[in-house]
């Protein structure tokens, strides 16, 4: 149970098998499909048709392993590279192991790892979202708020550089993940000027059909820079799932506040909530979700909402075909603040399109 919780919280740290000696596993996945996107925010842009890769989950090639050190203590590591199958290029900005790269120790005390890691929030949200943070139906689309750095949406960050994380043992289904980064994106700066430090804490309870967590994620921006040293982003997320067997329900509420935003030093807030359901029957499953967010700055505000439908069919334990459709509505409640959420997927940008359809094939190895 401890290893299962660790895998869910940090996106898979080690195999559940017991090892008596050093062990290295090669793994990965490749996903290709067709995508159609339409209804661009800019009326002058035509529809888009494309053959894309990494639609449901980013394509990857990884290496992970453990070594038994004795007395219940093990060393572990993961190195995971991302790639685009339709072009052959590396993803994550061309990094060699841009998806994950860490080393750590695990034992009766829990697990400690250090390197480039998934944030606890993303690891949790990608498990409760019916679309697993992939396809045009992913929950993340309505988080578009224009607060980005190094390719990361700071209101919904995926990974942390220069990070260390601790995952506690499970106590009757309850465990805690704590993560810290000295600079969330790229290497630390000289004197640490301009570093964006992060602290994240996520208690989680998983028992039978119930999986619920409360996540706190704070980014201190541009530390030690005169005039900007008070800027920070504070995120709270409460969410969970309940599996009835015939259907699995999901719900979450997310609150983001960017304190001292911009030259006006006003708070920028993004409040988001979502509902989802997964209905499995045999090798089939039907997915549906609704996500809505409200962005507020000064006296201006605007909403983005998305509804999505999906279908998966398992050809085997490792291969499945899928289809997904999503439609986004961006509005401006007071007439002067227009949202720009669009139908992105796990790898490909939405480019301002407000509806999209995808069908494809994914194989894991």
């Amino acid at each position: 149970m401890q290893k299962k919780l660790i895998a869910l919280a940090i996106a898979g740290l080690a195999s559940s098998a017991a090892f008596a000696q050093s062990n290295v596993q090669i793994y990965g996945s490749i996903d290709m499909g067709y995508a159609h996107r339409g209804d661009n925010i800019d009326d002058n842009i035509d529809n888009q048709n494309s053959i894309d890769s990494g639609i449901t989950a980013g394509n990857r090639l990884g290496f992970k392993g453990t070594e038994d050190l004795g007395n219940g203590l093990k060393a572990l590591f993961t190195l995971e590279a991302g790639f685009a199958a339709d072009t052959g290029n590396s993803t994550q900005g061309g990094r060699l192991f841009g998806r994950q790269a860490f080393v750590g120790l695990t034992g009766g005390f829990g697990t400690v790892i250090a390197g480039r890691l998934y944030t606890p929030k993303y690891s949790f949200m990608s498990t409760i979202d019916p679309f697993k943070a992939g396809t045009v139906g992913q929950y993340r689309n309505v988080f578009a708020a224009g607060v980005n750095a190094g390719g990361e949406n700071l209101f919904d960050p995926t990974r942390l550089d220069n990070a260390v994380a601790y995952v506690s043992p499970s106590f009757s289904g309850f465990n805690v993940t704590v993560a810290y980064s000295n600079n969330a994106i790229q290497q630390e700066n000289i004197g640490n000027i301009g570093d964006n430090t992060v602290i994240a804490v996520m208690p989680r309870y998983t028992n039978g059909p119930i999986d619920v967590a409360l996540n706190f994620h704070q980014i201190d921006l541009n530390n030690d820079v005169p005039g900007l040293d008070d800027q920070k982003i504070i995120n709270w997320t409460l969410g969970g799932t309940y599996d009835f067997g015939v259907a699995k329900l999901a719900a979450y509420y997310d609150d983001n506040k960017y304190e001292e935003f911009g030259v006006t030093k006003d708070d920028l807030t993004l409040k988001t909530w979502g509902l989802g359901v997964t209905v499995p029957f045999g090798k089939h499953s039907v997915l549906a979700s609704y996500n809505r967010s409200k962005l507020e700055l000064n006296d201006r505000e605007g909403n983005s909402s998305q509804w999505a439908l999906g279908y998966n069919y398992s050809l085997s334990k490792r291969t499945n075909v899928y289809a997904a459709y999503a439609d986004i509505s961006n509005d401006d409640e007071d007439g002067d603040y227009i949202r720009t959420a669009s139908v992105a997927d796990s790898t490909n940008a939405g480019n301002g399109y407000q509806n999209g359809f995808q069908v494809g094939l994914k194989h894991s190895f």
Side-chain angles (χ1 to χ4, degrees):
M1 176 61 72
Q2 175 183 330
K3 288 182 178 178
K4 181 178 178 182
L5 292 173
I6 292 170
L8 292 176
I10 305 294
L13 303 184
S15 169
S16 60
F19 298 103
Q21 58 187 6
S22 297
N23 177 281
V24 177
Q25 176 185 351
I26 300 175
Y27 69 96
S29 66
I30 183 167
D31 174 359
M32 286 293 302
Y34 164 78
H36 171 85
R37 289 179 170 89
D39 187 22
N40 200 284
I41 295 170
D42 185 343
D43 293 335
N44 296 316
I45 297 179
D46 293 333
N47 296 341
Q48 180 190 49
N49 296 285
S50 57
I51 303 299
D52 289 332
S53 73
I55 291 174
T56 61
N59 293 335
R60 66 200 68 188
L61 174 64
F63 308 86
K64 62 182 177 182
T66 61
E67 181 186 11
D68 192 338
L69 303 176
N71 298 317
L73 183 66
K74 294 180 181 179
L76 58 87
F77 78 91
T78 291
L79 298 171
E80 190 173 284
F83 65 92
D86 51 343
T87 63
N89 294 328
S90 296
T91 51
Q92 287 77 51
R95 301 180 190 223
L96 177 59
F97 295 112
R99 295 192 59 83
Q100 298 183 87
F102 61 80
V103 65
L105 295 171
T106 186
F109 60 89
T111 299
V112 176
I113 58 174
R116 177 168 166 82
L117 315 174
Y118 285 113
T119 65
K121 174 189 174 180
Y122 176 77
S123 295
F124 174 66
M125 288 296 295
S126 62
T127 62
I128 71 170
D129 178 22
F131 294 87
K132 307 301 180 188
T135 75
V136 291
Q138 64 178 354
Y139 78 93
R140 311 187 71 201
N141 289 338
V142 298
F143 277 79
V147 183
N148 298 281
E152 289 283 347
N153 182 344
L154 298 186
F155 279 174
D156 189 38
T158 303
R159 298 175 179 87
L160 299 173
D161 291 341
N162 311 298
V164 59
Y166 168 72
V167 183
S168 75
S170 174
F171 301 98
S172 300
F174 178 83
N175 84 321
V176 178
T177 299
V178 180
Y180 173 80
S181 170
N182 219 36
N183 191 23
I185 302 172
Q186 300 294 342
Q187 185 64 295
E188 293 92 339
N189 296 297
I190 297 175
N192 294 115
I193 295 175
D195 287 353
N196 298 326
T197 60
V198 175
I199 180 69
V201 181
M202 187 182 72
R204 185 172 185 175
Y205 179 72
T206 305
N207 190 1
I210 300 174
D211 185 6
V212 62
L214 174 66
N215 182 76
F216 170 78
H217 186 106
Q218 178 172 305
I219 309 172
D220 290 311
L221 298 161
N222 300 308
N223 294 338
D224 303 321
V225 177
L228 297 176
D229 53 334
D230 292 330
Q231 288 190 327
K232 63 181 63 176
I233 294 176
I234 300 174
N235 166 264
W236 290 94
T237 305
L238 175 63
T241 59
Y242 192 95
D243 194 343
F244 290 93
V246 295
K248 184 177 183 179
L249 302 182
Y252 74 92
Y253 176 79
D254 184 275
D255 185 287
N256 269 287
K257 178 182 288 187
Y258 191 143
E259 297 183 350
E260 303 282 327
F261 175 74
V263 295
T264 63
K265 297 296 184 179
D266 293 300
D267 291 345
L268 175 71
T269 64
L270 181 71
K271 302 180 187 296
T272 309
W273 61 272
L275 299 172
V277 61
T278 302
V279 181
F281 51 101
K283 295 183 177 182
H284 312 264
S285 60
V286 175
L287 324 171
S289 68
Y290 179 80
N291 296 274
R292 183 175 178 84
S293 67
K294 174 179 284 188
L295 187 68
E296 298 178 281
L297 177 63
N298 301 323
D299 296 326
R300 301 183 303 166
E301 60 184 35
N303 293 324
S304 292
S305 59
Q306 172 183 280
W307 64 267
L309 292 174
Y311 169 76
N312 292 330
Y313 178 76
S314 297
L315 297 170
S316 70
K317 290 183 178 180
R318 296 182 177 183
T319 305
N320 70 285
V321 293
Y322 59 84
Y325 176 84
D327 186 271
I328 287 179
S329 174
N330 291 296
D331 66 34
D332 53 330
E333 288 193 352
D334 60 4
D336 65 356
Y337 197 60
I338 299 175
R339 297 293 304 280
T340 58
S342 59
V343 285
D345 58 49
S346 185
T347 303
N348 307 282
N351 297 319
Y353 291 103
Q354 296 176 99
N355 65 51
F357 169 76
Q358 296 173 319
V359 58
L361 171 70
K362 178 185 176 184
H363 174 72
S364 300
F365 57 91

